[in-house]
Amino acid sequence: MELIALGDRDQDMIRAVTYERQSHKSETDSQASPKMQRDRSVAYINSQDNWNHIDTDYSDVGISGYDPNVFRPGFERLMEDARARKFDVVVIYMLSRLTRQGAAEALKIQEELASYGVAIISMQEPFINTSDDNPFGVAFFALIAGLAHQESKNKSKFIRDAFAELKAKGSHASGPVPYGFKAEPVQVDNVTVRMLSPGSMSDAEIGVDSTPTDNVMHMIEEAEKGVKENAIATALTRAGARTPLSSLDEDAAKTRLAAARKRRKGGGSDEADNEWSSTVVRRILRDPRLAGFAIGPVDPKTKRREILRDESGQPVRPHQGFIEPKRWYDLQAILNGRKRERNMDRAGTLTFLGSWGALRCGLCDSGMTVSNTDESYVCNLRRSVGDVSKHVVRIKQRDADAVVAVRLWGKVASLNPENDDDVAILAAAAERFAVQGADPEAAAELAEQEAQLAHVQQSMTELYQDRKDGLYEGATGRAAFKDTILKYQQHEKRCMERVDELKASATVATKLPIDEWSTDTENADPLAPGGLWERWDVPDKRAFLSLFVDGVTVVPAATKNGTAFDRADGRIDVAWARPAELEEANESVTA
């Protein structure tokens, strides 16, 4: 191998070019991105006397330097122009960018370039310089080429370790940026990680002009109203809102489409770029990153993205989400069908007892909704479910509201601190009132902790069922189950302890103002016309009811005799509030 003499050529300027390569399919923000490689190389060229940068794109992105069967168009153009003697030197960031196939292949490339009078200079390996400026360049070149080959053999382990470190810090380490988000590099403990945050929003109605971020918020708000995923998907499609596929550039969309077809082994359902499906909507709404959580492994049974947890089981939350964790947990409960309470009924009206879980059917225990046509609360089971036959249970709103109000205030006025049952009701009411009256920050933390507790307990139930179904067989499966359930248990314990702390703190600082409620200065009877109950709005009435009552049940009418109030009174059963510790004790006895 000969050194290339650059200084004694019969030309005014040394013509220099750069070559860059990266195995990723798109340019990243890493320290070895093609842009960074090119910037470093061009800066070096500009620093040399009598050198001229020939601005030609010789780069390969998303192409391996290890596989000998891979065609590299940028590299082939480089070699073709070298044969045409269009430049004198090629500057690379590292030898591994040129090839990873070992010393023999690297020397073969160098020898061919040398035959055309082209030298090679590496930015990261200054001893690799095959010009006559460095007499040891040839030997170093062969040595580093061999090391580059060995590096590729160890590359998979390096990548696994690097990704493990990034994921531990909650980085969005790889793959496309989630729909509606943007990713930005942030330094965390001297490691560059990609943090997510919502993209740009607009004032446009949901449709062709709405942004992906607009569409995600629309999905969240609709789901919170109780709209099902397929109905959300249909509305988005009709409005022409851009799907995750149509939001990509043409090349990325083709790649994603081809990968989806390969997984399904065919199928044309993805052809419609603006056709939403309930599956896509559900996947977006289930994504923990909506609340800023980092994602861990995909659950093998549900195929959902699970929350990444640290060694103590605490959720890792590095990103800026669309919504707060408490709201996301509530959203998951709605999607699971467990959270039936809604502020308003389907017609958009706000009633005292309907459509928020307080009033339940005595036959099937479903929450009763509102029928605005005849101003009644109704449960309409259209088909038999198990032992429960189809039925219609209906009660007039004004009658049910009046009965519950009379019983509620009658109980409050007659509570006896020497009666054990009344003491239990007072204890529960005091705890709940303290939570309602807590400072906003403490109340928000309590709500989030309770939501986290419900979520992790549901996750534990599902995990135990998965093991029962045989999803954790063998030594590896048992180890994975043990590790996961331990983290869940640790997080459950921490949530329970924090909930108890927040409730105790609020209860100590707050006194139940029964005397003030019972001796309203304007009217001693809170139910009299113009009294306290009439002056309160619906949210106030609901909040007061939830202090003393766990639920109200309505059974079918047994008689038509008596007044409307008396008939309603005979159909309604009120479950008075119980302190949390008593409820837990009762559950343990009956379990």
Side-chain angles (χ1 to χ4, degrees), residues 3-15 85-89 113-119 130-132:
L3 298 176
I4 307 302
L6 297 176
D8 57 356
R9 299 193 176 190
D10 295 329
Q11 58 192 52
D12 293 334
M13 301 290 285
I14 301 299
R15 301 165 299 171
R85 301 183 184 275
K86 293 184 177 182
F87 52 83
D88 306 300
V89 59
L113 288 172
S115 69
Y116 309 132
V118 176
T130 63
S131 72
D132 55 3

Side-chain angles (χ1 to χ4, degrees), residues 460 463-467 472 476-486:
M460 291 170 67
L463 189 66
Y464 280 120
Q465 184 60 48
D466 289 345
R467 186 179 65 168
Y472 290 93
T476 302
R478 288 193 294 271
F481 172 83
K482 183 178 179 180
D483 179 67
T484 304
I485 200 65
L486 180 61

Side-chain angles (χ1 to χ4, degrees), residues 326 329-331 333-342:
K326 168 61 168 61
Y329 285 120
D330 287 345
L331 177 62
I334 292 172
L335 297 175
N336 291 336
R338 298 197 311 274
K339 189 176 180 65
R340 286 171 285 193
E341 302 92 346
R342 296 208 304 272

Side-chain angles (χ1 to χ4, degrees), residues 307-343:
I307 296 173
L308 180 68
R309 299 179 183 275
D310 60 23
E311 290 301 318
S312 65
Q314 184 75 8
V316 178
R317 188 169 178 253
H319 307 299
Q320 178 185 339
F322 279 76
I323 54 180
E324 290 301 308
K326 168 61 168 61
R327 190 173 170 187
W328 183 82
Y329 285 120
D330 287 345
L331 177 62
Q332 304 316 297
I334 292 172
L335 297 175
N336 291 336
R338 298 197 311 274
K339 189 176 180 65
R340 286 171 285 193
E341 302 92 346
R342 296 208 304 272
N343 289 334

Side-chain angles (χ1 to χ4, degrees), residues 38-110:
R38 183 178 177 84
D39 289 345
R40 292 281 186 89
S41 299
V42 171
Y44 174 81
I45 292 171
N46 292 335
S47 70
Q48 302 301 304
D49 293 336
N50 300 321
W51 281 36
N52 179 40
H53 175 223
I54 307 299
D55 191 7
T56 304
D57 182 17
Y58 301 117
S59 62
D60 293 303
V61 178
I63 298 178
S64 170
Y66 185 72
D67 188 347
N69 298 316
V70 168
F71 176 77
R72 292 189 284 164
F75 175 76
E76 294 301 328
R77 287 195 305 273
L78 177 79
M79 299 305 292
E80 183 179 345
D81 288 351
R83 297 183 190 104
R85 301 183 184 275
K86 293 184 177 182
F87 52 83
D88 306 300
V89 59
V90 56
V91 180
I92 57 177
Y93 182 67
M94 296 174 66
L95 183 56
S96 61
R97 301 304 89 199
L98 192 63
T99 180
R100 285 184 178 273
Q101 295 178 38
E105 176 64 19
L107 290 171
K108 179 181 176 181
I109 294 172
Q110 195 279 331

Side-chain angles (χ1 to χ4, degrees), residues 26-212:
S26 61
E27 291 203 18
T28 68
D29 299 313
S30 70
Q31 295 181 350
S33 70
K35 182 180 183 303
M36 190 283 302
Q37 295 176 43
R38 183 178 177 84
D39 289 345
R40 292 281 186 89
S41 299
V42 171
Y44 174 81
I45 292 171
N46 292 335
S47 70
Q48 302 301 304
D49 293 336
N50 300 321
W51 281 36
N52 179 40
H53 175 223
I54 307 299
D55 191 7
T56 304
D57 182 17
Y58 301 117
S59 62
D60 293 303
V61 178
I63 298 178
S64 170
Y66 185 72
D67 188 347
N69 298 316
V70 168
F71 176 77
R72 292 189 284 164
F75 175 76
E76 294 301 328
R77 287 195 305 273
L78 177 79
M79 299 305 292
E80 183 179 345
D81 288 351
R83 297 183 190 104
R85 301 183 184 275
K86 293 184 177 182
F87 52 83
D88 306 300
V89 59
V90 56
V91 180
I92 57 177
Y93 182 67
M94 296 174 66
L95 183 56
S96 61
R97 301 304 89 199
L98 192 63
T99 180
R100 285 184 178 273
Q101 295 178 38
E105 176 64 19
L107 290 171
K108 179 181 176 181
I109 294 172
Q110 195 279 331
E111 288 174 354
E112 183 175 358
L113 288 172
S115 69
Y116 309 132
V118 176
I120 299 176
I121 295 176
S122 169
M123 298 305 305
Q124 289 293 94
E125 303 132 336
F127 34 77
I128 295 183
N129 182 339
T130 63
S131 72
D132 55 3
D133 288 340
N134 182 9
F136 299 103
V138 173
F140 281 124
F141 188 96
L143 175 62
I144 298 301
L147 293 176
H149 180 65
Q150 181 63 34
E151 179 193 4
S152 280
K153 292 184 178 180
N154 300 326
K155 186 179 180 183
S156 60
K157 182 180 185 304
F158 170 78
I159 290 176
R160 287 196 301 270
D161 292 346
F163 270 77
E165 182 178 3
L166 289 173
K167 290 205 72 173
K169 298 181 183 303
S171 171
H172 177 69
S174 64
V177 175
Y179 183 76
F181 281 94
K182 62 182 179 181
E184 296 177 328
V186 177
Q187 286 286 327
V188 179
D189 298 332
N190 297 320
V191 176
T192 300
V193 297
R194 298 171 74 199
M195 297 305 181
L196 302 175
S197 61
S200 60
M201 296 190 71
S202 71
D203 296 328
E205 295 290 332
I206 297 301
V208 294
D209 295 327
S210 60
T211 68

